Amino acid sequence: MDFTDLDSNATKCVNLRLCSVSGCMTEILEIRADRPSFHVVFVPGNPGVITFYKEFVESLFKSLGGMASVSAVGASGHTEKNWEHGKLYSLQEQIDHKIEFIKVQNIEAPLVLVGHSIGSYIALEMLRRLPEKAMYCIGLYPFLALNLQSKKQAVIVKVIMSRVLSTMVTLFVASLSLLPRQVLRLISELSNGKSWSNTAHEACCSHLPQYHTIRNVLYMARTEFIKLSETPDWEFMRENQEKISFLYGIDDHWGPLQMFEEVSRQASGIALSIEREGHTHGFCCTEAGSIWVARHVASLIKNKLAR
């Protein structure tokens, strides 16, 4: 299916398609260039509902001037329909899934890996496993380690590590799917605010109340917190610092500024920047945030190519 493009000057519309990756039905947002010089593979955060990123993908393709194809790969099990019959996917399985996507699609052009939140960690692991093919890796509001000072993360840990609490949350959220779509939309607008784009509200209403999706969101989060309790692999980052860039936010407990400072100490060659425009960790939920971040990513890529 083709979404209606937000910008009448854009030459191509983003395509939402289903793709089987190792037998897992995966939602892909994609715009193909006619003669791509490279291929951008985007990895979402958690939830990995890829339709949240529609405006971002469109704006990134346009900002790159059509010189690159852009593929945004949804998370396994974070789909609108229960294609996998309730199977749960860990962080490691999500990494393997993205590597397999590149193999299945037989992408020949050089890769630029872009990740959001935990997707930044996944993108780094893809860089580790595809050192010859991946020429650049960009992390947006990266979640690379636990923030022990965050009260929000402390609450999340209690929920996802408790079988009882996680089940209660899953059942409550899934029960919302019984409501009419208009009521779900009203709940989304009241809880998330009017600044959210229509696309974000629709993605929230269509995917998140699904029982299989919210179970996968919580299970993936559990495996994230276990893995990210470990010390980041600074040696790997130092060895590849010329191929890595990170964008941090001002007030982001997933990627706090103390982590920004730690990265600058541990791997000073990594290109770091701070977004000061007032967007949030969930930049993809607003049109303004999607466009600004897409232009920032395009600028990083163009500067990298120029060097």
Side-chain angles (χ1 to χ4, degrees):
M1 60 178 287
D2 283 334
F3 285 116
T4 302
D5 204 301
L6 293 176
D7 192 324
S8 59
N9 294 322
T11 56
K12 289 180 180 287
C13 293
V14 63
N15 183 55
L16 174 63
R17 66 183 177 90
L18 283 172
C19 173
S20 178
V21 180
S22 294
C24 174
M25 294 303 290
T26 306
E27 293 177 348
I28 311 292
L29 273 180
E30 195 167 57
I31 307 182
R32 290 278 185 169
D34 295 327
R35 292 181 295 276
S37 300
F38 55 95
H39 196 124
V40 177
V41 174
F42 175 78
V43 184
N46 183 12
V49 176
I50 207 60
T51 48
F52 274 113
Y53 298 89
K54 171 184 172 284
E55 283 90 358
F56 171 76
V57 171
E58 288 176 328
S59 185
L60 179 58
F61 179 83
K62 182 177 180 181
S63 297
L64 290 171
M67 72 170 69
S69 296
V70 180
S71 298
V73 188
S76 306
H78 297 214
T79 50
E80 183 174 2
K81 293 186 179 181
N82 187 13
W83 299 106
E84 310 313 315
H85 308 291
K87 182 179 178 180
L88 299 178
Y89 294 88
S90 67
L91 174 60
Q92 184 57 54
E93 287 171 316
Q94 297 289 358
I95 295 169
D96 296 340
H97 173 257
K98 304 307 176 291
I99 294 292
E100 189 63 25
F101 168 80
I102 292 172
K103 294 179 180 178
V104 168
Q105 296 301 297
N106 194 27
I107 299 173
E108 297 181 356
L111 292 176
V112 172
L113 307 173
V114 182
H116 172 218
S117 192
I118 190 62
S120 302
Y121 177 87
I122 295 174
L124 284 173
E125 290 302 303
M126 295 169 70
L127 176 63
R128 186 195 303 272
R129 291 168 59 174
L130 300 168
E132 301 300 323
K133 195 165 185 61
M135 66 176 185
Y136 198 23
C137 179
I138 302 171
L140 306 174
Y141 306 88
F143 180 32
L144 304 176
L146 297 189
N147 180 359
L148 300 179
Q149 300 176 19
S150 170
K151 293 181 180 179
K152 290 183 179 179
Q153 288 189 27
V155 172
I156 292 172
V157 166
K158 290 181 180 180
V159 173
I160 61 178
M161 295 301 176
S162 167
R163 185 180 299 273
V164 173
L165 291 177
S166 60
T167 299
M168 289 174 62
V169 170
T170 298
L171 292 175
F172 171 74
V173 174
S175 69
L176 298 177
S177 65
L178 301 174
L179 298 173
R181 179 58 71 90
Q182 298 92 327
V183 177
L184 273 177
R185 176 61 182 254
L186 178 61
I187 293 173
S188 179
E189 291 178 354
L190 290 174
S191 58
N192 298 314
K194 293 185 177 180
S195 63
W196 269 35
S197 66
N198 180 64
T199 300
H201 283 303
E202 287 300 309
C204 179
C205 294
S206 63
H207 287 65
L208 294 187
Q210 302 302 323
Y211 179 75
H212 67 279
T213 299
I214 192 63
R215 281 192 73 212
N216 262 290
V217 167
L218 295 178
Y219 179 71
M220 180 179 171
R222 183 177 187 275
T223 61
E224 289 173 28
F225 275 63
I226 292 172
K227 183 62 180 178
L228 269 57
S229 64
E230 302 173 4
T231 302
D233 189 345
W234 297 119
E235 182 178 355
F236 171 75
M237 290 194 210
R238 282 190 289 269
E239 291 173 352
N240 293 274
Q241 55 190 351
E242 297 301 321
K243 300 173 73 172
I244 301 173
S245 292
F246 292 137
L247 171 68
Y248 282 84
I250 291 291
D251 185 19
D252 180 10
H253 72 88
W254 297 109
L257 291 183
Q258 59 260 35
M259 189 61 179
F260 170 95
E261 295 166 357
E262 184 67 15
V263 172
S264 67
R265 285 194 294 268
Q266 296 285 352
S268 59
I270 291 179
L272 299 174
S273 51
I274 300 175
E275 176 266 302
R276 304 179 186 275
E277 302 298 315
H279 305 300
T280 66
H281 184 86
F283 72 90
C284 57
C285 294
T286 68
E287 292 183 20
S290 296
I291 292 171
W292 189 92
V293 173
R295 289 174 176 172
H296 177 79
V297 171
S299 177
L300 289 174
I301 294 173
K302 290 175 182 178
N303 290 338
K304 177 67 175 178
L305 293 176
R307 293 196 299 269

